[in-house]
Amino acid sequence: MKLRLNPDACIACTSCVVQCPVAEATPEFLGPRMVGPAAQRFRLMGSGEDESLHYCANCKNCDISCPHGVLISTFNMMARAEQARKGPFSLRDWMLSHGAFLARALGLLPAALRNFGMLNPASRWALDRLGVSAQAPLPRFAARTFRRQLRTFAQPDASRSVVFFPGCYVDIYDPQTGLDIVWLLNRAGYRVIVPDAFDCCGLPMIANGFWEDARRNAARNAEELAGWRRKGVEVITACPSCALMFKNDLPEYFPELADSMEGAAPTDAQEFVLRLVDNGELPLPATGAPLDIIYHAPCHLRAQGLGLPGLELLQSLPGVRATNANAGCCGISGSYGFKKEKYHIAQRIGQRLFTAVRQSKAPVAASECGTCRVQIEHGSGKQCLHPLTILRRRMEA
């Protein structure tokens, strides 16, 4: 880790610059090499911060492309944490990075009232003045969270259990995807457990500079994950960003928690389900109506280096022709694309993907990442679903 966090390990080959979607979309960003390892040398000497740091989207494409494995995005996030610590405090960034807290705080209000309060024209105007773009596709609160719905979801008796880390997006905005995953795992003979102790993985807080809040969440989640590891129960998550946080980012950002997290990071849910299919525990239907799907691989999934299990699952379904869009980043990068000064950059980044989705014959798109799905629907006009939702629908057809 020390070697990978050494700015002198960067050989200035500019591979990261070539692969950076933000540097391609705007000249305002100096690029990952200059803002990352190059600027880190000056930070170590006590020099001031480069003004373009805030344009980094933390998409991890620089890390993916670096031939020496330099953690370029980590330099940027560490510098952003220091920048946020010095102030001034950003209410906009705090709100965008503490969605789980705000959802709990507003939980007593009916979802219709919460959505009206957030999405009516006057509120969008006020949020725009605060720095949340009035054009950004803010997701709607679900009528009931995934966790609340799971409490009344009739799961069959099963001899095996698996723990599911739903992540904020599924829990607050898209509980149906979570229920689809539970249905699939029940079908394979597993009872699904979602512990109340799980909190936001902390990645939105990291990306916006609120490291102490992220550290508290990380410690709480690490303790819970380690407990299930000791019991021999596997933990899975269907959110690539949550998985990346636990597998890669948490040990990098908070090395004091690395030992407790050893072997306890969640398994990718698509990888887990693909294993069940390969083992014959989850038989796929023998036939199915023809269906074209265009698939987008989230950046935070590619950064894990585990392949594309969601795409493999789709391609294994009879009648389904799933094509990898292979069109780069969607641009949203969590809360990045909701910010007023970043919205148009995010749209420019995603144009290649939006065009690929629109021009494909596929009536539906697929992606594991919740905010990627929001961005794809906003930019292309086509419905975008989680691969495991599509799997359930095909199995029920």
Side-chain angles (χ1 to χ4, degrees), residues 200-374:
C200 171
C201 71
L203 191 55
M205 300 167 187
I206 289 291
N208 286 284
F210 297 96
W211 272 47
E212 288 308 311
D213 295 345
R215 187 190 303 274
R216 284 191 290 272
N217 279 25
R220 188 181 308 120
N221 288 324
E223 181 180 2
E224 184 69 17
L225 288 166
W228 290 107
R229 177 197 59 193
R230 289 191 295 269
K231 294 176 183 177
V233 179
E234 191 163 3
V235 182
I236 65 172
T237 183
C239 174
S241 295
C242 293
L244 183 68
M245 178 65 178
F246 290 122
K247 290 178 183 176
N248 296 7
D249 291 353
L250 189 152
E252 294 165 9
Y253 300 147
F254 312 120
E256 69 275 15
L257 298 175
D259 289 343
S260 64
M261 279 294 298
E262 184 68 32
T267 301
D268 178 82
Q270 294 68 237
E271 189 176 33
F272 185 80
V273 171
L274 188 61
R275 187 199 314 165
L276 298 178
V277 171
D278 290 342
N279 292 342
E281 298 172 76
L282 185 63
L284 298 180
T287 60
L291 175 65
D292 284 334
I293 299 170
I294 184 164
Y295 168 84
H296 167 65
C299 297
H300 286 179
L301 175 68
R302 293 187 293 105
Q304 296 174 59
L306 52 80
L308 303 176
L311 178 60
E312 286 186 57
L313 277 170
L314 294 174
Q315 291 176 334
S316 68
L317 287 169
V320 169
R321 186 172 66 176
T323 305
N324 189 352
N326 197 25
C329 180
C330 77
I332 194 75
S333 289
S335 61
Y336 186 89
F338 296 126
K339 298 177 181 180
K340 187 173 182 179
E341 73 278 15
K342 311 289 195 324
Y343 171 79
H344 292 293
I345 296 172
Q347 292 300 300
R348 286 197 292 272
I349 291 171
Q351 274 309 310
R352 253 192 335 130
L353 176 61
F354 305 154
T355 300
V357 172
R358 282 195 301 265
Q359 292 181 350
S360 74
K361 295 186 293 184
V364 65
S367 185
E368 292 88 346
C369 175
T371 50
C372 285
R373 295 198 296 275
V374 168

Side-chain angles (χ1 to χ4, degrees), residues 91-110:
L91 178 60
R92 186 274 309 272
D93 289 355
W94 185 92
M95 290 175 60
L96 288 175
S97 61
H98 290 73
F101 173 83
L102 291 173
R104 286 194 297 269
L106 298 172
L108 295 178
L109 297 175

Side-chain angles (χ1 to χ4, degrees), residues 70-118:
V70 178
L71 298 175
I72 303 167
S73 67
T74 299
F75 287 131
N76 294 349
M77 293 304 102
M78 290 170 64
R80 184 170 294 170
E82 182 63 16
Q83 194 177 52
R85 187 186 66 80
K86 292 178 179 177
F89 173 78
S90 169
L91 178 60
R92 186 274 309 272
D93 289 355
W94 185 92
M95 290 175 60
L96 288 175
S97 61
H98 290 73
F101 173 83
L102 291 173
R104 286 194 297 269
L106 298 172
L108 295 178
L109 297 175
L113 187 58
R114 280 179 278 157
N115 286 322
F116 177 78
M118 289 289 293

